[in-house]
Amino acid sequence: MHELPITQNVLEIALRHAEEAGGGKITNIYLVVGRLSAVVDKSVQFYWDIISEDTPAQGARLHFRHTPIQLECLDCGTFFEPEEMTYICTACGGIHIRVAGGDELCLEAIDVEQEEAAPAESGSKHP
Amino acid sequence: MSERITVVEKITQANDQVAELNRARLDEQRIFAMNLMASPGAGKTSLIERSLPLLSKEFRLGVIEGDMATSLDADRAAAAGAESVQINAASCHLDAPMVKQGLDELDLDNLDVVIVENVGNLICPASFALGTHKSVLIASVPEGDDKPYKYPKMYRGVEVLVINKIDLLPHVSFDMDYFRQGVEALNEGVITFPLSCKSGEGIEAWVEWVADSARERIGQA
Ligand SMILES: Nc1nc2c(ncn2[C@@H]2O[C@H](COP(=O)(O)OP(=O)(O)OP(=O)(O)O)[C@@H](O)[C@H]2O)c(=O)[nH]1
Ligand SMILES: [Mg+2]
Ligand SMILES: [Zn+2]
């Protein structure tokens, strides 16, 4: 479905941040994916393997952190996870709700492996 | 040596930036734009065909058609009297850069209203802002009354809900109360137009809303 453009954006953002941090090889990618965002991990992984090839992010591991759907009852203020196919407050039975979480789709962090620092520096400190 | 870099960036950020540019451009040209979203076959093109003749008395209309492969919908819109461009969305949704491309192809100096027909899909379009002023979801009776519960994000993100194909209500089981309860829970007070593109019932109220929104937009300095 929409995973290809999403994966392209992930790659773009990751490469940009790695570059800003001085470059290097990206080894891990940490994503936050809300249950409402309807992103399928396997599908992201599939595109990732293809589009990351020959970039500094090739071979990076994708980590998905899934956040549950969180609703807030506007009648009684309770936060709850909805049951299948209903939006009825589990505390008071109210039906006025606000989506409080679960639609996140963001890149949280990356791990970048820098090239080994030149050993000359520590050596020169000795008298 | 490995270093953890905190990013925390919305994955659709690049899209959202282009959407903002689209919006600025539309505002500058004093054009009212809306994004029609629906599942395949809900009646997006039919609603455009029905609305154009009524709207064209007052407004100059452009249509951007997002279509997977064919130009059928763009041809239908053109036949109904709009300047139409077709974007071959090699994707399941339109995104802001595609709409930018559509705007580039339209003669914006000579338009008042731009209607975007998104690709038929209830999931993806909800994640991609286009820069349009209003998002409209077209539900249709044969799809069933459980759609608000299955696609909450889509139902939550729109300003207007059209319920199309009400001529079929006597023939299919569609519990309007259950449907509306789901809609109200997600999107309280959303403007709703039950109508039929086939019989024409309810079309006028919808067209009146489009015209009012357009007048408001165009009238703004
Ligand atoms: N009974 C009935 N049929 C309708 C109505 N509106 C549209 N249809 C039919 O529904 C079918 C699909 O309509 P379209 O307008 O092409 O739907 P669409 O949403 O543009 O479809 P895609 O662009 O392919 O996703 C057509 O056969 C229409 O004739 C309606 O109000 N009642
Ligand atoms: Mg169509
Ligand atoms: Zn409650």
Side-chain angles (χ1 to χ4, degrees):
Chain A
M1 297 289 259
H2 52 174
E3 279 82 358
L4 176 58
I6 282 170
T7 313
Q8 282 165 334
N9 286 331
V10 169
L11 178 64
E12 223 169 90
I13 297 168
L15 291 177
R16 176 157 46 78
H17 281 269
E19 183 77 29
E20 282 168 10
K25 189 175 155 47
I26 301 170
T27 51
N28 289 289
I29 304 235
Y30 301 90
L31 299 162
V32 185
V33 178
R35 294 275 175 216
L36 275 178
S37 63
V39 169
V40 181
D41 300 2
K42 268 193 187 157
S43 178
V44 173
Q45 184 71 56
F46 171 80
Y47 290 119
W48 176 259
D49 293 341
I50 297 167
I51 67 170
S52 68
E53 206 172 300
D54 299 327
T55 75
Q58 178 169 357
R61 270 191 65 189
L62 301 181
H63 303 262
F64 297 90
R65 182 161 72 82
H66 294 279
T67 49
I69 301 174
Q70 270 280 332
L71 302 181
E72 180 188 6
C73 173
L74 296 177
D75 294 330
C76 76
T78 304
F79 285 82
F80 63 101
E81 274 183 52
E83 284 166 34
E84 278 288 303
M85 297 299 149
T86 70
Y87 296 136
I88 297 168
C89 172
T90 48
C92 77
I95 56 162
H96 299 103
I97 55 115
R98 182 182 75 81
V99 177
D103 61 356
E104 303 80 4
L105 181 56
C106 109
L107 178 53
E108 204 168 25
I110 56 176
D111 286 341
V112 177
E113 209 159 79
Q114 261 94 22
E115 327 283 68
E116 285 302 318
E121 207 195 306
S122 59
S124 65
K125 274 175 191 154
H126 287 288
Chain B
M1 191 191 69
S2 180
E3 188 194 352
R4 170 83 37 102
I5 299 167
T6 310
V7 177
V8 193
E9 196 168 304
K10 257 181 80 185
I11 285 165
T12 51
Q13 185 153 304
N15 177 77
D16 295 349
Q17 281 163 359
V18 178
E20 273 173 37
L21 295 176
N22 288 345
R23 170 69 70 92
R25 189 167 168 196
L26 290 163
D27 286 345
E28 201 184 296
Q29 297 269 7
R30 295 207 197 172
I31 290 174
F32 170 66
M34 57 183 180
N35 175 14
L36 299 188
M37 296 177 284
S39 35
K44 298 176 290 299
T45 311
S46 301
L47 187 62
I48 292 172
E49 286 174 319
R50 270 282 184 181
S51 311
L52 286 180
L54 298 170
L55 290 168
S56 62
K57 292 173 195 149
E58 185 176 346
F59 306 104
R60 297 163 297 174
L61 296 134
V63 174
I64 298 176
E65 287 287 350
D67 206 317
M68 297 290 259
T70 69
S71 65
L72 290 175
D73 285 356
D75 297 344
R76 283 167 67 185
E83 186 189 344
S84 82
V85 293
Q86 188 221 337
I87 304 295
N88 271 103
S91 180
C92 47
H93 61 273
L94 287 178
D95 61 21
M98 294 179 203
V99 168
K100 180 189 175 298
Q101 191 192 325
L103 293 175
D104 288 345
E105 288 179 36
L106 287 171
D107 178 16
L108 297 184
D109 289 339
N110 289 306
L111 290 178
D112 305 308
V113 175
V114 169
I115 302 174
V116 180
E117 177 176 343
N118 216 310
V119 180
N121 184 332
L122 281 184
I123 299 175
C124 313
S127 304
F128 294 85
L130 304 181
T132 48
H133 299 99
K134 299 284 182 192
S135 295
V136 178
L137 172 61
I138 305 171
S140 67
V141 167
E143 285 168 62
D145 50 24
D146 60 352
K147 290 299 170 290
Y149 302 91
K150 285 188 170 158
Y151 304 99
K153 191 166 181 179
M154 180 57 87
Y155 276 82
R156 196 158 75 87
V158 298
E159 282 90 20
V160 175
L161 174 66
V162 168
I163 306 173
N164 187 28
K165 309 195 188 181
I166 55 168
D167 57 289
L168 296 176
L169 277 172
H171 309 289
V172 297
S173 75
F174 183 96
D175 182 342
M176 191 60 92
D177 289 339
Y178 177 66
F179 177 83
R180 289 227 188 209
Q181 192 180 64
V183 173
E184 273 302 298
L186 291 165
N187 198 337
E188 200 178 352
V190 65
I191 306 167
T192 306
F193 296 103
L195 53 80
S196 166
C197 290
K198 192 172 181 197
S199 72
E201 186 185 349
I203 294 283
E204 257 170 53
W206 149 257
V207 167
E208 202 40 52
W209 174 83
V210 177
D212 281 344
S213 309
R215 281 182 210 120
E216 198 179 304
R217 233 342 102 191
I218 297 162
Q220 270 167 18

